[in-house]
Each structure stands twice: as structure tokens, then as C-alpha cells.
Amino acid sequence: MPRWKALPGELDPQVREFVEAMRRAVDRAGLSVAAVADRTGYGRSSWERYLHGRLLAPKGAVVALAEVTGTPAVHLVTLWELAERAWNRSETRHEAITATAGTLPARALPGQFGPPPSPLPSPGGERARPGTRAAGARRQRAGLFLAGVVGVATVAAGAFFLTDGRGPRAAGVVESPSPSAAASRALPAGVRCGGSDCTGRDAQAAGCSGGLAATAKTATVGVTLVEVRYSRTCGAAWGRITPAGPGDTVAVTAGSVRRTGHLSAPGDTVAYTPMVAVNSADEATACAVLASGQRGCTP
């Protein structure tokens, strides 16, 4: 019975090559997935997803895997960089499809804009009496008038709410929605915040990490990798250091906003900060201050 399950058929070729290289490294070292998790500090469930192509491994995990398997880190990191670009391209296509689907116009319900016109009598039908024709015409005119009143009232109500009742001169001015409001309407399933709503929140709990995030900047402090993680879907960034030890601190800064993080539980080797809202990854900087006194920041 083969050790590894077949990778998903829709997986990008560059992602597939990267995952297969990780599998070969694990096989050569004779390690189980549980042993890889124990030695790298990343959870077993995470490695199950990484090694089966369901989630792209972060760069820190790749470096750790190279160390514990004796694989040249340059080789695995190069493959990871190519895989990350391919993964992000797939994510961008998915977002474009989702956004397009969300802008399709809704169809009007039957009768939504007034009653349908009365059907015309067939040429061969009974001849209508003059009084009947007049009554029918009056009913039709009344229906059309009522539909017009409803339409005018709807437009007026819409203008009132759009302008907060500021008067007719402001009726032609419609304010653009805030970035956070716009982001919240377009968020994919499982993502719980967007833009400024993400500041101070945990990336994993908010659904912004995993396949929706990528490493935008890196730096090395001693043997510790410092990263700026960025999610375009959430419009947010955060800092991460791997491996981290007791007393190590990581911070992320975007403008005047700063958030810090450290190891959350004994035995963890990864520390990361809460998120800060950004328009692009260029706005964020991650810094590490190690217990040893060493410190450094991403460019």
C-alpha cells in the first residue's frame, strides 16, 4: 500500500513539484509525519495538509523541514518560492471569479414594478360592451398610476436614506462605502474580517491565514526567520518568527499602528502577532527581539 495519497488533480504543476520534493525529503530521512511535526514544531495536522497539497507550507516550515531531513535548504526554498507564486495566482483567479459572481444583477420578481397589463381579448371572442371597455380602461389607468406612485415613492425613499435626509442638493451625491464595509460584503466563506476590522485580530481565527496568506518580506536574526505575512483577501498583515523561544518577541508595524506577539503555549516554536490593516504588504514591517538580545527587522 503506497505511503502517500495521490495529489489533487487540479493542483498547479509547480505546487505539485514542491510537494513531491517535500515528500521525497521525508522519505529519505525515514521520518513519519508525526516525527516531522515533533522535530519542526509545526502541528501534525498542518503537515498532513502540507504534504497532501491541501495547504501551502509557510517558508519557516520549509526551512525547518530541510534542517530535520538533511536536505539542502536552498533547493526546497527555491521550489517553495515558485509554488507560492503559483498558489497566489490560483487564489487571485478564485477571488476574481467570486467578485464577478457577486455583481450579477438580480432578476425582478413578477409584478414587482406594478401589475401586468390586462390581456387583450381575442379577435374571435365575445364583443365587449362599451361600459365594460370603459371600466377596464379605468382599471388599467388606475393600475398604471398606482405603479407610478409606488415607483416615485421608492426612488424618493432611496434618495432620503442615501443622503441621510440632508436635502435635495445632496441627493445626487452618493458616498463610497468604507474599505471595511466593502471588504465585508465581498469576503469569501470562512473569512471573518476585512480591512480595518482585522486590526488586532488573530489571523488564523479570522480565516485570513493558510492559502489566503503569503510571505511578503523576510529577514534573518541569528537562526530565526522573521516574516511579514500578508493576506490580500483580508487586507491585513502580521509578523511571524520561526523558530521562536521563550522571551522572543515579534512586532508588526503599519504607519502608527503596532501589534506584538510571542509564544502562546509551552512547546510552540512559532510566534506571530495580531493583524494590522494595510492596503499592500509594502506598508508593513516585522521586527524580532530575541531573548539573547539580538534584534532585526524586515526591509
Side-chain angles (χ1 to χ4, degrees):
M1 184 176 180
R3 178 181 183 185
W4 304 109
K5 294 181 181 179
L7 293 172
E10 67 275 11
L11 206 61
D12 185 275
Q14 290 179 322
V15 178
R16 179 183 298 275
E17 182 182 4
F18 168 62
V19 174
E20 290 174 346
M22 288 198 300
R23 287 181 171 185
R24 288 192 298 269
V26 174
D27 287 339
R28 282 195 302 267
L31 298 176
S32 65
V33 176
V36 170
D38 183 62
R39 298 186 186 188
T40 60
Y42 288 78
R44 178 172 179 171
S45 60
S46 295
W47 276 113
E48 290 283 356
R49 293 193 290 269
Y50 301 156
L51 293 169
H52 288 88
R54 297 194 297 270
L55 185 65
L56 185 67
K59 187 176 182 179
V62 177
V63 173
L65 179 67
E67 291 176 356
V68 302
T69 60
T71 305
V74 173
H75 174 66
L76 277 184
V77 170
T78 300
L79 292 177
W80 172 82
E81 290 174 347
L82 296 173
E84 186 188 36
R85 295 191 192 103
W87 191 281
N88 289 339
R89 285 196 300 270
S90 298
E91 176 191 340
T92 301
R93 286 194 297 268
H94 172 74
E95 290 177 359
I97 293 171
T98 302
T100 302
T103 59
L104 293 178
R107 296 179 62 185
L109 297 175
Q112 182 176 356
F113 300 108
S118 303
L120 296 175
S122 61
E126 183 180 355
R127 185 181 301 275
R129 295 191 299 273
T132 303
R133 288 199 301 271
R138 285 195 298 273
R139 285 194 299 271
Q140 186 172 10
R141 286 195 299 272
L144 292 174
F145 175 78
L146 179 60
V149 171
V150 172
V152 171
T154 302
V155 172
F160 178 86
F161 287 112
L162 285 173
T163 61
D164 294 330
R166 289 191 295 268
R169 286 185 298 175
V173 180
V174 180
E175 296 181 357
S176 300
S178 64
S180 60
S184 63
R185 287 198 298 270
L187 295 178
V191 177
R192 298 176 178 83
C193 70
S196 60
D197 294 337
C198 289
T199 297
R201 300 186 64 170
D202 181 275
Q204 185 172 1
C208 298
S209 60
L212 296 182
T215 297
K217 301 178 184 178
T218 62
T220 303
V221 180
V223 296
T224 299
L225 179 68
V226 187
E227 299 172 89
V228 169
R229 297 285 288 170
Y230 170 64
S231 172
R232 180 168 52 186
T233 300
C234 294
W238 59 98
R240 183 173 72 182
I241 55 175
T242 312
D248 294 347
T249 303
V250 58
V252 65
T253 305
S256 61
V257 181
R258 186 173 186 267
R259 292 291 184 272
T260 60
H262 48 77
L263 291 179
S264 57
D268 285 353
T269 59
V270 181
Y272 55 92
T273 71
M275 294 185 286
V276 293
V278 294
N279 293 316
S280 72
D282 292 337
E283 298 177 8
T285 301
C287 297
V289 179
L290 307 184
S292 63
Q294 293 177 292
R295 62 181 61 207
C297 299
T298 59

